Amino acid sequence: CKVDRLLTMGCFSSRVEAPTEELPGPPAVELDAPTPADTAAPTQPADALPSATDLGVSEGKLELWRKKGGGDLEPVLASSAVALLDAQWIISHAEAGGVLTHRQALPKEAFLSLADLVEATGKHDLPVAALSYPWLTKDHPDPRGANLARVARALKALLSRPDLIPRLGVFWDFGSLHQHPDPANGVMRTEEQNALFKQGLGCLGTLYSHPHTTVLRLTSFPDGHKAEDQTEGTNVAKYFDRGWCYTEQSWAGLTKAGYLSLDLGKMRAGVEYDCLSLIRDCTQEGGRRPPLLPSAFAAELETKSFTNGKDDKPLVKRLYEAAFEEQFGKATELHYNDLGWGDAEAAQLAEVLASGAAPRLETLGLHANKIGDEGCKALAAALGKEGAAPRLETLYLNRNKIGDEGCKALAAALKEGAAPSLKTLNVGNEKQPELMAVCEERGIDLE
């Protein structure tokens, strides 16, 4: 596997296009798989991070940015390995009928600086979004600007609430990572740009799985795009069949709150969206899948297409497992409410909880879904596993479809010592006898 070709397949197909022959410049290292140094996110000691004075921002904003985990992104933003596009610039460029060009050809005003991002940080999440999408051709991700217009439509809706999102920096691989400017004519990235490109690769898992970034997923092709019209060598697989798209979606499905992973393929034609209506449409009915155990991810990955699948699958399995362990290992709150999840999704989440992946979890929100008795039984069994949720204090299951059987299963698990730290439980059925009894016995507030 050539490290420099990590983004030349699947969802990242040709995003940094590698020709079939070796090009002048630093030779790629031939490896069975990339070394950890090639793919690990860059690390930097806290005292090496820039100060508020260095950035020209307020101490309060920088503290908030880092409290939300912005420090995880600072090394690649400060080094310019990753450049985030200004959402407002994307909107203006799309409305002018523009087409996105590669990063090196974009004007300075297309980007937000690290200082801009820090100043735009609000009380809820980071002002950072990452785009997940399939390239439309092997030479350019969006040659007609069709996807640019669709992304701009979503960004305009998100920015309609400046009190929530005043500005937004967007990771769009073609404009955010250094590209080969004109590989057909031998114009390649410089040696310095190659080094920054590899550093940027190491941060992909963080960009998509970070609990406070937004992921925008273009899961459908634009109108008029036909696979049969594409030139030979183009990856024509749909979003859900591409390995890198599947990986990005799975990263985004780990510990983010429901409203931070949006399926833009669910946008309806002719609808003028605002922030809240966009989120509502783009999170419902399968718009956000529950998290997968690394073993389940690896099994499903075998069904996905990679341009260079034999080499990429071991890599993305390791990257997914690392992100899974990192994000669940530090999660204290999980908010999966209002996602249209039913029993199958509850059972999938139960597998993750039963594995003990979230030892610090204190609050779990699953309210306003479609979970019934079978899903509740699966969750009760999971919480009964030793070490499943030792610190869980609050569990919201109200506004679902849980009946007497589900409540009995939950009561039985609690009676056997499940969720030993539980203090508050809301299932929307506070009069169920067995549940009332065990909650009274354990001192759990049943709402």
Side-chain angles (χ1 to χ4, degrees), residues 4-18:
D4 197 40
R5 294 184 182 177
L6 292 179
L7 296 190
T8 64
M9 43 251 147
C11 182
F12 284 114
S13 162
S14 298
R15 294 188 175 183
V16 179
E17 198 60 33

Side-chain angles (χ1 to χ4, degrees), residues 202-214:
C203 202
L204 293 182
T206 301
L207 277 163
Y208 288 94
S209 70
H210 195 292
H212 292 294
T213 61
T214 300

Side-chain angles (χ1 to χ4, degrees), residues 412-433:
L414 292 174
K415 194 170 183 64
E416 292 296 319
S421 301
L422 194 65
K423 296 177 181 178
T424 302
L425 173 64
N426 191 333
V427 294
N429 189 357
E430 69 277 6
K431 301 296 185 183
Q432 205 282 330

Side-chain angles (χ1 to χ4, degrees), residues 258-280:
Y259 64 90
L260 291 176
S261 180
L262 303 182
D263 182 350
L264 303 189
K266 292 186 175 293
M267 290 191 298
R268 292 173 289 155
V271 175
E272 188 170 337
Y273 285 108
D274 61 15
C275 184
L276 298 182
S277 62
L278 178 79
I279 290 171
R280 184 173 58 247

Side-chain angles (χ1 to χ4, degrees), residues 115-155:
D116 292 331
L117 295 167
V118 170
E119 286 292 354
T121 304
K123 62 181 180 179
H124 297 294
D125 298 292
L126 294 175
V128 174
L131 180 64
S132 174
Y133 70 109
W135 275 44
L136 300 182
T137 74
K138 67 185 184 68
D139 297 316
H140 193 286
D142 183 30
R144 296 183 296 112
N147 277 340
L148 182 72
R150 298 165 77 205
V151 172
R153 181 185 177 207
L155 294 175

